[in-house]
Amino acid sequence: MYMRMAIREAQAAASEGEVPIGAMIVHPERGVVGKAFNQVEKLHDATAHAEILAITQACQVLENWRLEGCVLYVTKEPCPMCAGAIVFSRIAKVVWGVSDPVRGGESVFHILNSPSLVHRVECVPGLMEEVCREDLVGFFRELRATRREKSDGED
């Protein structure tokens, strides 16, 4: 259910020309306390990733920077920046759709479970992976096609 909600957030991102990544933060007693999609282009802000925006929202709702017991559902494995924010906000578990074998905050950099940091995060990769992957692949396929059309029209 929560990953489906994150996928809807990702689709909202794509409809606004943003990379389709959506995130939901769920508190064990209060339910959804944060939800967001990428807004890097809209806000002209390199830190406006879905996870960061959802963490900010959840902290405001809970009036606490510690998101202990919360679960983050996100359509793509968090990047190193987001993984750091997840650790420092004390999120208990991250469930993601598509892993990122090139820039993944956990699969490549092992940030979510680094012994050097103050907190460890349970990781559950691969939930609804195919749907999440198709949203990303389709977005970039369409973006490349649009760019090709523009460059062909400039000749």
Side-chain angles (χ1 to χ4, degrees), residues 8-62:
R8 283 195 294 276
E9 289 293 311
Q11 291 165 343
S15 73
E16 294 189 16
E18 299 280 354
V19 175
I21 298 174
M24 305 293 299
I25 297 179
V26 181
H27 184 272
E29 294 160 7
R30 296 185 57 184
V32 175
V33 292
K35 68 177 186 170
F37 56 82
N38 275 11
Q39 296 183 48
V40 172
E41 301 298 333
K42 177 182 179 181
L43 299 177
H44 308 289
D45 181 352
T47 68
H49 290 198
E51 300 94 323
I52 299 292
L53 297 172
I55 287 169
T56 299
Q57 189 179 88
C59 290
Q60 290 171 352
V61 166
L62 296 173

Side-chain angles (χ1 to χ4, degrees), residues 3 7 73-75 95-98 124-130 132:
M3 184 59 85
I7 290 168
Y73 293 84
V74 62
T75 56
V95 179
W96 68 78
V98 178
V124 181
L127 182 63
M128 299 186 71
E129 181 175 7
E130 289 307 312
C132 296

Side-chain angles (χ1 to χ4, degrees), residues 51-110:
E51 300 94 323
I52 299 292
L53 297 172
I55 287 169
T56 299
Q57 189 179 88
C59 290
Q60 290 171 352
V61 166
L62 296 173
E63 298 180 332
N64 194 335
W65 64 268
R66 292 177 188 91
L67 301 178
E68 294 167 339
C70 288
V71 178
L72 167 66
Y73 293 84
V74 62
T75 56
K76 183 180 158 294
E77 179 182 2
C79 72
M81 174 183 69
C82 293
I86 291 163
V87 169
F88 287 108
S89 65
R90 310 294 198 275
I91 288 174
K93 182 189 323 187
V94 178
V95 179
W96 68 78
V98 178
S99 292
D100 185 344
V102 177
R103 293 176 218 77
E106 181 57 23
S107 62
V108 176
F109 296 100
H110 312 290

Side-chain angles (χ1 to χ4, degrees), residues 131-145:
V131 175
C132 296
R133 181 182 315 284
E134 184 50 44
D135 283 350
L136 282 162
V137 168
F139 174 81
F140 286 110
R141 185 182 307 124
E142 188 174 311
L143 185 63
R144 284 190 298 276

